Amino acid sequence: MTGIEALEATITAPVASFRNPLYTGVQVTLPCPPPSTIGGMLAAAAGSWDKIPHDFRFAAAFHAEGRGTDLETYHPLPTARKPGNYGPQNREFLAFTTLTIWILDNLDQWEHRLRRPVWPMRLGRSQDLAALTTRRTTLTTTPGEQHGALITDHPAAGGTSLRVPTAITLDRGRTLWGSYRYDPTGHTTATVPNSYSTPTGQAVALLPPTHPATAESV
């Protein structure tokens, strides 16, 4: 059985929120971070998107132990027709979250970046700091089971169907959307095609590139 070395980064936060961009005026959270959010966090660790190749890819899995709703001051962007109307608003959040990222290229470089990030590691909102640990692991080329992985959608996938941003241009003028699947329970055992697997059988499925340059051609 062929093996491949990977860098596994585990990011934890007591509270996280990933605003669903398909809803306006309300703070509805997605069940997991979209690829664009994860890619942006890695770019922050590196210092900027300029330090990351356009074809850079990673795999991810996510788990939250619970969810709830609290109040947060809402800061809508003012427009010519509607001025900013600041005030408290309900915000959905996820509690005791764990994001696992697998990187297969330039392991030494990424291990240094994640251990000494240029910008603080944040998961979701800017005020929600996250803790991070890294380790080396060996993946097999045998396709793994879905469980809590965020994967591109395919007919045999389980869980929730998501239409979320894959990449966003630096000026936020264009968004590249993608279709994904994620099971918040982590119970889906469907085999993920073209994936690797961890020693426990978890699928490690590389997501599409999240670099802003990939959204420029949209």
Side-chain angles (χ1 to χ4, degrees):
M1 187 178 296
T2 306
I4 181 172
E5 188 178 26
L7 178 65
E8 181 180 284
T10 302
I11 301 155
T12 58
V15 175
S17 180
F18 312 105
R19 190 181 70 81
N20 191 328
L22 298 180
Y23 291 83
T24 59
V26 293
Q27 300 295 304
V28 177
T29 185
L30 292 164
C32 65
S36 61
T37 295
I38 303 173
M41 183 177 63
L42 294 175
S48 76
W49 279 111
D50 293 338
K51 301 180 182 297
I52 298 178
H54 292 186
D55 60 353
F56 171 67
R57 300 174 69 187
F58 54 83
F62 183 77
H63 176 70
E65 294 186 20
R67 63 188 302 152
T69 303
D70 65 3
L71 287 174
E72 182 179 56
T73 302
Y74 181 51
H75 297 274
L77 294 175
T79 65
R81 293 184 177 182
K82 188 176 181 181
N85 184 19
Y86 307 110
Q89 190 173 54
N90 287 336
R91 176 188 70 99
E92 292 185 350
F93 66 89
L94 304 172
F96 303 107
T97 62
T98 301
L99 171 66
T100 306
I101 302 171
W102 291 272
I103 297 173
L104 277 59
D105 299 313
N106 301 317
L107 306 190
D108 290 339
Q109 181 185 58
W110 275 108
E111 192 166 28
H112 174 76
R113 286 172 170 175
L114 294 175
R115 287 182 174 179
R116 291 183 173 274
V118 175
W119 301 105
M121 302 299 291
R122 305 179 190 274
L123 189 59
R125 299 185 307 170
S126 60
Q127 61 264 51
D128 293 333
L129 289 174
L132 182 145
T133 60
T134 61
R135 72 183 184 101
R136 299 291 180 97
T137 187
T138 300
L139 308 176
T140 68
T141 55
T142 302
E145 296 181 346
Q146 182 179 336
H147 296 299
L150 174 62
I151 62 173
T152 54
D153 202 357
H154 67 88
T160 303
S161 178
L162 300 173
R163 184 72 173 168
V164 294
T166 298
I168 303 173
T169 56
L170 293 177
D171 64 2
R172 306 192 69 82
R174 294 182 179 180
T175 299
L176 175 63
W177 297 84
S179 297
Y180 299 90
R181 283 294 186 107
Y182 170 70
D183 179 10
T185 70
H187 294 161
T188 298
T189 58
T191 299
V192 181
N194 303 315
S195 69
Y196 301 95
S197 60
T198 68
T200 62
Q202 167 70 60
V204 176
L206 292 174
L207 295 168
T210 59
H211 197 285
T214 63
E216 292 288 352
S217 60
V218 175

